Amino acid sequence: MPDKPDIRSPTRIAISNQKGGVAKTTDAINIAGALAARGQRVLLWDADPQGYLTMGVGFDDAYTADAPNQYTALKQPGSHDVGDLILTHDEFDIVPANIDMFQLEQELVSAMRGRERVSQLLADVEGYDFVIMDCPPSLGHLTDNALLACENIVIPAEAEDTSIRALDILFNQIDTLEENFDETTITEQAIVVSNIDYPLDGEQKSMLEWFDDTFGDYIPIYEFRNRAAVKRAFNDGVSIFGSDEECDQEDELLQLADHLIENRGEMV
Ligand SMILES: Nc1ncnc2c1ncn2[C@@H]1O[C@H](COP(=O)(O)OP(=O)(O)OP(=O)(O)O)[C@@H](O)[C@H]1O
Ligand SMILES: [Mg+2]
């Protein structure tokens, strides 16, 4: 295992793609699980008002809880301590989403520093090596908040033609944020081609080549295959690393985790 670099803790990574159903939540919990399996202290943050991650790990009550919750914290970051929101899980800690966060897209548009609320909350977070943030399937203020707070992105994408346009839109948004926020650089740490079915059909094969040709020289690409064991683990509220069942995708995810750990020193 690589030595822990002597750098500011924690390293923050947004798991983001505005396209729906591309395995953001599944990848987020399993990347968090892989990092935890490597001995990293991980805070898994549900930034999606849909709350699938929160409910997946069994925190249904937190999703509908009254204040203080993630909604009230993002409304008034100055009067909240993130520590009060954090819940404990066997593999990692969790900041649960709250159903009221659906209102935030509207409310943050006219708010002061409406894209910097998550950054403000994260400023006080200590005691973790990584924060992994599951983003919503949209390019609104919540996703902007996550990208600006993390400045690192792991992009789940499917091996489908539609991913070409989705990534184009996502990279444009990253450029726009970098132009509008001085000294902000959002770095693509990895692409995870997710939920792949073998044997590959023609579209999947040509898309894997496209990912490699287009990004292979500067963004590491990982393949996370479709496995019933992944779904079963999620339904049990754990990653494949927290499950008793063996899953042949562990190696690929551990390689991704090792890449993130080794690159911590270069990440903001
Ligand atoms: N490696 C995998 N093996 C099996 N099923 C998977 C895998 N990855 C994703 N899935 C399934 O694909 C579906 C979509 O995944 P997920 O909910 O993680 O996507 P998402 O991008 O978070 O969706 P949304 O855009 O709604 O937030 C889910 O039913 C999930 O169980
Ligand atoms: Mg999701």
Side-chain angles (χ1 to χ4, degrees), residues 137-159:
S138 57
L139 285 181
H141 270 54
L142 283 170
T143 295
D144 286 353
N145 262 279
L147 292 173
L148 289 169
C150 292
E151 294 192 70
N152 295 295
I153 180 171
V154 166
I155 305 169
E158 287 178 314

Side-chain angles (χ1 to χ4, degrees), residues 43 54 59 62 83-89 92-96 128:
L43 179 63
T54 298
F59 293 133
D84 295 337
L85 307 182
I86 293 175
L87 299 174
T88 308
H89 178 273
F92 29 68
D93 286 351
I94 308 253
V95 172
Y128 296 97

